[in-house]
Amino acid sequence: MAPAVHLSNAVVLAGRFPVLAGVDLELDAGQVLVVLGHNGAGKTSLLRLLAGLVPLTSGEGRILEHRLDDQARHVRRRVGMLGHDVGLYDDLTPHENLRFALRAARVDPGAGPGALERCGISGRVAMTPLGALSAGQRRRVGLALLCARRPELWLLDEPHASLDTATRQLVGELVEEAALGGATVVATSHEPEVAVPMADVVATMAGGIVIETTSGGRPRGGKDVA
Amino acid sequence: MAPAVHLSNAVVLAGRFPVLAGVDLELDAGQVLVVLGHNGAGKTSLLRLLAGLVPLTSGEGRILEHRLDDQARHVRRRVGMLGHDVGLYDDLTPHENLRFALRAARVDPGAGPGALERCGISGRVAMTPLGALSAGQRRRVGLALLCARRPELWLLDEPHASLDTATRQLVGELVEEAALGGATVVATSHEPEVAVPMADVVATMAGGIVIETTSGGRPRGGKDVA
Amino acid sequence: MKRTLRRLLGPVAVALVALDVILGLFVTPPDIEQGDLVRLVYIHPALAWVALYVAFAMAGICSLLYLWPRTRSMTYDRLAASAVEIGVVFTILTLVTGSIWGRPTWGVWWTWDARLTSTALLAVMFLGYLALRRVPADPHVRARRCAVAALIAAVDVPIVHFSVIWWQTLHQGATVLNSNLTPTIHGLMAWTLLLSFVAFTLLFLWMVLVRYEIETLDEGEEDAELADALEARRQEGAPA
Amino acid sequence: MWRDAGLVAGRDLRIELRSRVALWQILPFAVLVLLLFAFALGPSRQALRQSAPGLFWLAVLFSSVLAAQRSIAIEGTPATRELTRLLGLDPAGIFLGKALALFVELVALEIVLLGGIVLLFHVSIATWLLLLATCLLAAIGLSSASVLYGSLAGGARTRATLLPVLVLPVLAPVLIAGTRALSASFVGGGPDGLRWLSILAVFAAVYTVLGIALYGPLEESS
Amino acid sequence: MWRDAGLVAGRDLRIELRSRVALWQILPFAVLVLLLFAFALGPSRQALRQSAPGLFWLAVLFSSVLAAQRSIAIEGTPATRELTRLLGLDPAGIFLGKALALFVELVALEIVLLGGIVLLFHVSIATWLLLLATCLLAAIGLSSASVLYGSLAGGARTRATLLPVLVLPVLAPVLIAGTRALSASFVGGGPDGLRWLSILAVFAAVYTVLGIALYGPLEESS
Ligand code: HEM
Ligand SMILES: Nc1ncnc2c1ncn2[C@@H]1O[C@H](COP(=O)(O)OP(=O)(O)OP(=O)(O)O)[C@@H](O)[C@H]1O
Ligand SMILES: Nc1ncnc2c1ncn2[C@@H]1O[C@H](COP(=O)(O)OP(=O)(O)OP(=O)(O)O)[C@@H](O)[C@H]1O
Ligand SMILES: [Mg+2]
Ligand SMILES: [Mg+2]
């Protein structure tokens, strides 16, 4: 089977600055990759490339059988991303946001309330416009969207940031569930203590390239499925 | 000496919703308080109240000898805050941003470059408009501003979020330095492992009030100065 | 005392307006030139007076009182808002009655007369204030913003007034101002006219007070609500 | 495509209903523009009546730029735009949906403004059918072009200032043709009006087709 | 106060120099508005020349709303506004600084637009001094009022649409007086021009004073 994610010598420019300077990466379906690295190493840029949101300047990229250079649209449909900013509508409530997003993604919107509930958004909070929610609550809604949508490639940019202790554990559970279900997960992190245990592979980035790849702490059970 | 921070039964409304539902708090100059609590507990709201950015609906508040209800302007001048969003100008470079902010705060702008350097912003990054920087780099610039400005009350909203391992340690150092210099520090956190060791007092919030106050892990050296 | 005054104000205002209408419609004679149309004189000028002078002055003064730190209180904010809201109604009624009157007298619904133009401009200013008021914000923030907006608008009123008057007179259009009315006024008509001013001013004040009371009622409920809300908020922390 | 269009139009109109921006901000603005024109041109009734059709369309144009800005603002931050791209909505559907929502608002706007010029500028309408066709076709053209250009400008941090410069020159044909067609519908010049109407129709068709075709590649890049 | 004003004006102008929004977006918009007026009023040279002063000021007004929006946008997100409040800048200084930066841009704009109407609308200038005074006084009034209202609307998420409705009615006297004063400077009517000039002067003075006095309480809250 072809790998779920394949990058070779991928270069991405922002303006004239190469945010990615030749990344090689290969992941199978069902694997969990955690990306570490100093600030400005290019982790967010890598996720955005994998999501098909920025064009590849040179090098090669294939995500879930689609080429990144000319089939980015197909890539995007199958990818779910939780960025530094969740990107939902401030004027709509979490419920309405999920309803819209799930219908747009052609997923049964019935899964929305359950997912919100699971991520700890219920009652009053689920009825408050997103703009009024706290930082952590917004991220929870973003997580709930992923959880209800179940994309084939999960891209999580510092998924633990802003979440409280209870929800942090949930992130681990959701990632494990997704990987067991055959999805590929790429997460960045600045907290190796919590992130490495959930990874099959740990990549360390610096200066726009991957400088080291080691194996993570995920129990073998995960590997078997992949 | 009067306490640096004194709140009694402080209530703050956002719209009709009580984000703070009666907070009691007392801190001396030179003390470090770490605030823990679930998402939506009211940590950010507490910091914004202490900064004089939101009006007190009922209860009493005194910050550095100024009443929060009618002297908020004086409070604001003496407070430095690092929020979820740093709030500097995206069009200006870190250098220019610090230069403007320090001059506005009537501090010698000469301290800017040193502080940036210390927070790991130098060379190319210091010359790139803020809007192009990575999440962690932006927070570093925010930290550098505090570090150069040396306010009397530091308010840090999840100071460790988005920072890489090296800079995380720097946060602890800066807080310790500020406290030794007589400043009061209030920091929120979702990572007790890193935050509690730097605290004199740890307050746990839930549902808009402080439900528990314990002492933190800061060595007694800190206490003596206060 | 205040209460009884307010209770009295309503019936008195309504009774006076009714009296004015009866006098205007049935007792006073029709005009030689304008016929029964002249009866609008017992409504329209009074409406205009209330809309432009009473409402704007009230909004301006209340806003000033709000901004002045010593007298700051949400009461003034609410009063100003009520004055503007009711003022908009009166302004629109002025425009409508004026247009209805203008159609037979001038042959057009509208003419670029100084008074008409400034009325329209002030109506838009009122609308701007209401638009600002609808912007979601903290009540105190909103109160301050709106007070400043009302004050700026109020300061603009004389400037608008003079510029529009000069604008119009310099380029005299084909306007028939109502000077032809003055000679036809006789005793009873004058009294009815005077009555209309008093009646509509009282009506305005009463409506403002009612509007204000509705808002304070909301507010009063809010106080009760606040206790509940505080309790509910504190419970959020309890482990589920 | 139609399903996505409905979804997007529903979202835009729902946010509009909640915030009432069009009602409280854009409509008063449109009326205000009419007043300002009168100030600029002086109170002479004759001059105003003659230029009424042009002023009507100018007011529509400026207000529609404002409405387009609101329509972009609904998309929110760059992060929101990215999320929409990741959801895999059909770009043609997004375009149609946003254009539809804008079209509804523009028609409401035109009705109010028409009332305004009839009252304020003393014009009377001879050919109702022509008027109706002019307004509808123009609204289609305006909304399609605005949404298309809105997507061009929407990514920029300076979109509040960029959008008017981009979109107004493109809308100039609507202004010219609309003015002529409206004049014709006031004085009752049928055949002349039809010619201008056909320009409006072509404009509307071209920008709707262009929008459906180009919205995808555009969003791709922004 | 003056020190802070200089600091703020410096920041605004520096950001402007870097982004060139005024140059590349607002100026073209202003010229465009003139062209659209020409389209809307038809090709009659006589009519255009007569309405040139009014159209000039309308174009200035619309462009200055755009410039004011840019001036708010420079303040950036709510977080940026909060930071500014925390830095303890003197509110009167902030007001003066922002108004100064806007004034500089508006004067540049007026110069270009004057060139525009001289070329497009075939007018010639009789009294230069009156022209100069009109333009300067109007620019002061426009910038003060716009900055003041900008701060009112700036906190709102819908400011792009809210600002025009708020500020344009208040600016109407500038339009009227400016138009008349400009007409006078074209035909050379001195005394009449002076009367209008006095309205502009009063307007400028009132709004500058109000701004200095009220900016503090406003920023306090928003
Ligand atoms: C839409 C059209 C009109 C508007 C907006 C309008 C507005 C006003 C305003 C603002 C006033 C001033 C009130 C005051 O100073 O106390 C006024 C007064 C008056 N209007 Fe009108 N008006 C309109 C049409 C007319 C017409 C058509 C007539 C009759 C031919 C008329 C007759 C009067 C009279 C008799 C007064 C009071 C006497 C006076 O103060 O001179 N108005 N109107
Ligand atoms: N237009 C640009 N011009 C110059 N440099 C740029 C530009 N855009 C991005 N950069 C640089 O590219 C890097 C972006 O990295 P990226 O956002 O991927 O970092 P990251 O690894 O996610 O960091 P963090 O941990 O802070 O989130 C930063 O160093 C930034 O300064
Ligand atoms: N206008 C509003 N209407 C209703 N609820 C509101 C409003 N504004 C804020 N809230 C609620 O108040 C709380 C705000 O809490 P705050 O932002 O202080 O949380 P926090 O402790 O900082 O959380 P986090 O850890 O997620 O940053 C949230 O529960 C939010 O839903
Ligand atoms: Mg990042
Ligand atoms: Mg928070």
Side-chain angles (χ1 to χ4, degrees):
Chain A
M1 209 180 74
V5 171
H6 165 85
L7 292 183
S8 79
N9 200 20
V11 174
V12 170
L13 293 184
R16 299 182 163 196
F17 182 81
V19 288
L20 293 184
V23 173
D24 296 308
L25 191 68
E26 191 138 337
L27 276 182
D28 289 329
Q31 277 196 314
V32 179
L33 167 71
V34 163
V35 184
L36 306 176
H38 65 85
N39 288 139
K43 302 181 292 300
T44 301
S45 311
L46 176 65
L47 293 193
R48 288 167 55 81
L49 173 68
L50 294 181
L53 288 172
V54 286
L56 198 58
T57 306
S58 76
E60 223 183 281
R62 297 180 69 84
I63 313 275
L64 309 168
E65 322 276 281
H66 301 294
R67 281 185 308 281
L68 265 182
D69 40 6
D70 58 349
Q71 300 176 315
R73 229 188 114 201
H74 300 281
V75 172
R76 286 204 293 271
R77 275 174 195 269
R78 299 170 68 180
V79 162
M81 176 155 163
L82 178 67
H84 287 300
D85 182 349
V86 278
L88 292 160
Y89 296 94
D90 276 356
D91 292 304
L92 300 180
T93 67
H95 263 144
E96 291 168 337
N97 261 306
L98 251 73
R99 203 180 157 69
F100 172 76
L102 291 177
R103 288 180 64 194
R106 279 147 228 273
V107 174
D108 172 27
L116 281 172
E117 189 89 41
R118 182 156 181 213
C119 296
I121 300 291
S122 57
R124 180 191 67 78
V125 179
M127 303 301 179
T128 309
L130 202 71
L133 297 190
S134 81
Q137 288 168 337
R138 295 169 68 93
R139 301 217 24 116
R140 289 185 191 195
V141 179
L143 209 56
L145 172 57
L146 279 181
C147 167
R149 199 181 145 201
R150 309 215 153 274
E152 289 161 76
L153 174 60
W154 292 45
L155 303 172
L156 306 171
D157 207 352
E158 298 185 45
H160 299 99
S162 286
L163 293 180
D164 58 19
T165 334
T167 328
R168 272 161 185 259
Q169 295 198 333
L170 184 68
V171 172
E173 284 169 30
L174 288 177
V175 166
E176 185 62 31
E177 242 176 56
L180 285 178
T184 314
V185 180
V186 180
T188 72
S189 180
H190 289 301
E191 297 170 62
E193 325 80 69
V194 283
V196 170
M198 61 187 206
D200 290 311
V201 189
V202 176
T204 308
M205 290 188 75
I209 52 172
V210 175
I211 52 168
E212 196 192 356
T213 318
T214 57
S215 66
R218 191 168 169 227
R220 268 224 65 78
K223 274 273 159 65
D224 293 346
V225 177
Chain B
M1 210 179 76
V5 171
H6 166 85
L7 292 183
S8 79
N9 201 21
V11 174
V12 169
L13 294 184
R16 298 184 165 197
F17 182 80
V19 287
L20 293 185
V23 172
D24 297 309
L25 191 67
E26 192 138 335
L27 276 182
D28 290 328
Q31 278 196 313
V32 179
L33 168 72
V34 162
V35 185
L36 306 176
H38 65 85
N39 288 139
K43 302 180 294 297
T44 301
S45 311
L46 176 65
L47 293 193
R48 288 167 54 80
L49 173 68
L50 295 180
L53 287 173
V54 287
L56 197 60
T57 305
S58 76
E60 223 183 280
R62 298 180 68 85
I63 312 278
L64 308 168
E65 322 276 282
H66 301 294
R67 280 186 307 283
L68 266 182
D69 40 7
D70 57 351
Q71 300 175 317
R73 230 188 117 201
H74 300 280
V75 173
R76 286 204 294 270
R77 278 175 193 268
R78 301 171 67 179
V79 163
M81 176 156 163
L82 177 68
H84 286 301
D85 182 349
V86 277
L88 292 161
Y89 296 95
D90 277 356
D91 292 303
L92 300 181
T93 67
H95 262 144
E96 291 168 335
N97 261 307
L98 250 72
R99 203 179 156 70
F100 172 75
L102 291 178
R103 289 180 63 192
R106 279 147 227 271
V107 174
D108 172 27
L116 281 172
E117 189 89 40
R118 183 157 180 211
C119 296
I121 300 291
S122 57
R124 180 190 67 77
V125 179
M127 303 300 178
T128 308
L130 203 71
L133 296 189
S134 80
Q137 289 167 338
R138 294 168 68 93
R139 302 222 17 122
R140 289 186 191 193
V141 179
L143 210 56
L145 172 57
L146 279 180
C147 167
R149 197 179 147 202
R150 308 216 152 275
E152 289 161 78
L153 175 59
W154 293 45
L155 302 173
L156 306 172
D157 207 354
E158 298 186 44
H160 299 98
S162 286
L163 293 180
D164 57 19
T165 334
T167 327
R168 270 161 186 259
Q169 294 198 335
L170 183 69
V171 172
E173 285 168 31
L174 288 177
V175 165
E176 186 61 31
E177 239 179 71
L180 285 178
T184 314
V185 181
V186 180
T188 72
S189 181
H190 288 301
E191 298 170 59
E193 324 81 67
V194 283
V196 171
M198 61 187 207
D200 291 309
V201 189
V202 177
T204 307
M205 290 189 74
I209 52 173
V210 174
I211 52 168
E212 195 192 356
T213 319
T214 57
S215 65
R218 189 166 170 228
R220 268 223 67 77
K223 274 274 160 63
D224 294 344
V225 177
Chain C
M1 163 59 195
K2 242 171 119 186
R3 260 239 158 99
T4 45
L5 198 73
R6 206 174 315 141
R7 287 233 182 99
L8 272 178
L9 190 56
V12 168
V14 172
L16 285 182
V17 170
L19 181 64
D20 178 54
V21 168
I22 292 170
L23 285 177
L25 278 186
F26 304 112
V27 182
T28 53
D31 185 67
I32 313 144
E33 282 174 49
Q34 301 200 357
D36 282 335
L37 265 176
V38 76
R39 301 186 192 285
L40 272 172
V41 83
Y42 307 118
I43 298 179
H44 165 83
L47 282 176
W49 143 265
V50 169
L52 297 194
Y53 302 109
V54 182
F56 247 102
M58 185 161 169
I61 291 171
C62 288
S63 299
L64 199 60
L65 285 174
Y66 179 84
L67 284 176
W68 196 257
R70 293 230 188 109
T71 49
R72 175 164 305 162
S73 126
M74 290 306 270
T75 307
Y76 293 121
D77 173 58
R78 273 177 240 136
L79 273 180
S82 313
V84 172
E85 267 180 34
I86 309 295
V88 165
V89 176
F90 274 76
T91 316
I92 290 173
L93 286 178
T94 309
L95 288 168
V96 170
T97 51
S99 292
I100 292 173
W101 206 351
R103 181 70 190 157
T105 36
W106 301 332
V108 288
W109 297 102
W110 183 264
T111 177
W112 293 98
D113 166 74
R115 253 203 202 137
L116 276 58
T117 312
S118 50
T119 310
L121 209 53
L122 297 182
V124 183
M125 277 189 202
F126 270 149
L127 284 181
Y129 178 94
L130 290 184
L132 188 63
R133 220 176 160 78
R134 285 190 55 91
V135 170
D138 179 82
H140 294 273
V141 173
R142 187 182 67 174
R144 239 177 265 205
R145 277 189 202 154
C146 290
V148 171
L151 210 61
I152 310 177
V155 169
D156 209 32
V157 170
I159 307 181
V160 165
H161 184 76
F162 281 109
S163 52
V164 171
I165 284 185
W166 290 354
W167 174 68
Q168 214 281 331
T169 48
L170 283 181
H171 236 268
Q172 187 55 282
T175 29
V176 194
L177 260 189
N178 31 51
S179 50
N180 58 342
L181 277 174
T182 328
T184 60
I185 282 189
H186 77 43
L188 181 60
M189 291 176 81
W191 283 111
T192 313
L193 195 61
L194 184 66
L195 176 68
S196 74
F197 276 77
V198 176
F200 278 101
T201 307
L202 287 180
L203 184 69
F204 171 81
L205 288 178
W206 179 61
M207 287 171 78
V208 167
L209 281 182
V210 169
R211 183 76 193 87
Y212 168 81
E213 246 172 27
I214 291 173
E215 278 204 14
T216 24
L217 264 186
D218 282 356
E219 206 78 355
E221 268 168 30
E222 262 168 39
D223 282 346
E225 257 174 36
L226 180 60
D228 294 347
L230 282 175
E231 196 43 45
R233 171 74 168 138
R234 291 188 193 121
Q235 288 311 313
E236 271 179 16
Chain D
M1 182 167 101
W2 291 108
R3 183 184 152 284
D4 287 354
L7 202 58
V8 171
R11 176 202 63 189
D12 278 16
L13 290 174
R14 173 193 293 258
I15 291 182
E16 165 51 29
L17 275 185
R18 184 154 305 166
S19 62
R20 301 271 164 85
V21 166
L23 184 66
W24 283 103
Q25 298 174 10
I26 300 179
L27 263 190
F29 171 80
V31 175
L32 188 61
V33 170
L34 284 188
L35 282 179
L36 291 181
F37 284 145
F39 290 141
L41 297 183
S44 140
R45 196 185 284 185
Q46 182 59 29
L48 282 179
R49 185 180 310 161
Q50 251 169 21
S51 37
L55 299 184
F56 170 81
W57 285 111
L58 271 178
V60 171
L61 234 62
F62 285 124
S63 318
S64 77
V65 170
L66 223 58
Q69 285 194 335
R70 173 64 188 156
S71 164
I72 303 176
I74 286 178
E75 295 286 304
T77 57
T80 314
R81 293 165 64 90
E82 284 185 354
L83 184 76
T84 319
R85 287 168 71 199
L86 285 175
L87 291 175
L89 279 171
D90 182 4
I94 302 183
F95 168 78
L96 280 177
K98 287 195 84 69
L100 190 67
L102 195 56
F103 171 79
V104 171
E105 291 178 23
L106 285 186
V107 169
L109 200 80
E110 284 178 344
I111 293 173
V112 171
L113 281 178
L114 262 182
I117 59 161
V118 167
L119 280 179
L120 297 178
F121 295 174
H122 318 295
V123 293
S124 54
I125 295 156
T127 336
W128 277 96
L129 206 64
L130 182 59
L131 180 80
L132 196 74
T134 309
C135 285
L136 288 184
L137 284 176
I140 297 177
L142 287 177
S143 53
S144 293
S146 301
V147 169
L148 191 54
Y149 277 88
S151 142
L152 268 178
R157 202 130 34 84
T158 55
R159 59 185 179 212
T161 38
L162 180 59
L163 180 69
V165 201
L166 282 181
V167 78
L168 280 179
V170 174
L171 299 184
V174 176
L175 175 66
I176 299 175
T179 303
R180 294 306 159 84
L182 203 62
S183 298
S185 84
F186 288 161
V187 299
D192 194 36
L194 280 185
R195 194 159 54 144
W196 292 111
L197 209 59
S198 66
I199 291 194
L200 287 178
V202 169
F203 187 92
V206 165
Y207 275 93
T208 308
V209 171
L210 268 185
I212 293 176
L214 290 184
Y215 204 77
L218 262 183
E219 285 291 286
E220 194 72 7
S221 60
S222 63
Chain E
M1 180 167 104
W2 292 109
R3 184 185 152 283
D4 287 356
L7 203 59
V8 171
R11 176 202 63 190
D12 279 16
L13 289 174
R14 173 190 292 260
I15 291 181
E16 167 49 31
L17 276 184
R18 182 150 309 163
S19 62
R20 301 273 163 83
V21 167
L23 184 66
W24 285 109
Q25 297 174 9
I26 301 179
L27 262 191
F29 172 79
V31 174
L32 193 62
V33 170
L34 278 190
L35 282 177
L36 289 180
F37 286 150
F39 287 143
L41 296 183
S44 141
R45 192 183 282 194
Q46 180 59 30
L48 280 182
R49 185 178 313 157
Q50 249 170 24
S51 38
L55 300 183
F56 169 81
W57 284 110
L58 266 182
V60 171
L61 231 63
F62 285 125
S63 318
S64 78
V65 171
L66 223 57
Q69 285 193 337
R70 174 62 189 158
S71 165
I72 304 175
I74 285 178
E75 296 285 303
T77 56
T80 314
R81 293 164 67 89
E82 283 185 355
L83 185 76
T84 320
R85 287 168 71 200
L86 285 175
L87 291 176
L89 279 171
D90 182 7
I94 303 183
F95 168 76
L96 281 176
K98 285 194 86 66
L100 190 68
L102 195 56
F103 172 77
V104 171
E105 291 179 23
L106 285 186
V107 169
L109 198 81
E110 287 177 342
I111 294 173
V112 172
L113 281 179
L114 264 182
I117 59 163
V118 167
L119 282 180
L120 288 177
F121 295 174
H122 319 291
V123 294
S124 56
I125 296 156
T127 335
W128 278 95
L129 205 66
L130 182 60
L131 180 80
L132 195 74
T134 308
C135 285
L136 289 184
L137 283 176
I140 296 177
L142 288 177
S143 53
S144 292
S146 301
V147 169
L148 196 51
Y149 271 100
S151 143
L152 270 178
R157 204 130 32 86
T158 54
R159 59 187 178 211
T161 37
L162 180 60
L163 182 67
V165 205
L166 282 180
V167 78
L168 282 177
V170 171
L171 297 183
V174 176
L175 175 62
I176 298 176
T179 302
R180 290 309 157 91
L182 202 63
S183 297
S185 84
F186 287 161
V187 298
D192 195 36
L194 280 184
R195 186 153 65 138
W196 292 111
L197 214 56
S198 69
I199 285 198
L200 288 178
V202 168
F203 189 91
V206 164
Y207 277 94
T208 308
V209 170
L210 269 185
I212 293 176
L214 292 182
Y215 207 76
L218 255 187
E219 286 293 286
E220 192 72 7
S221 58
S222 61

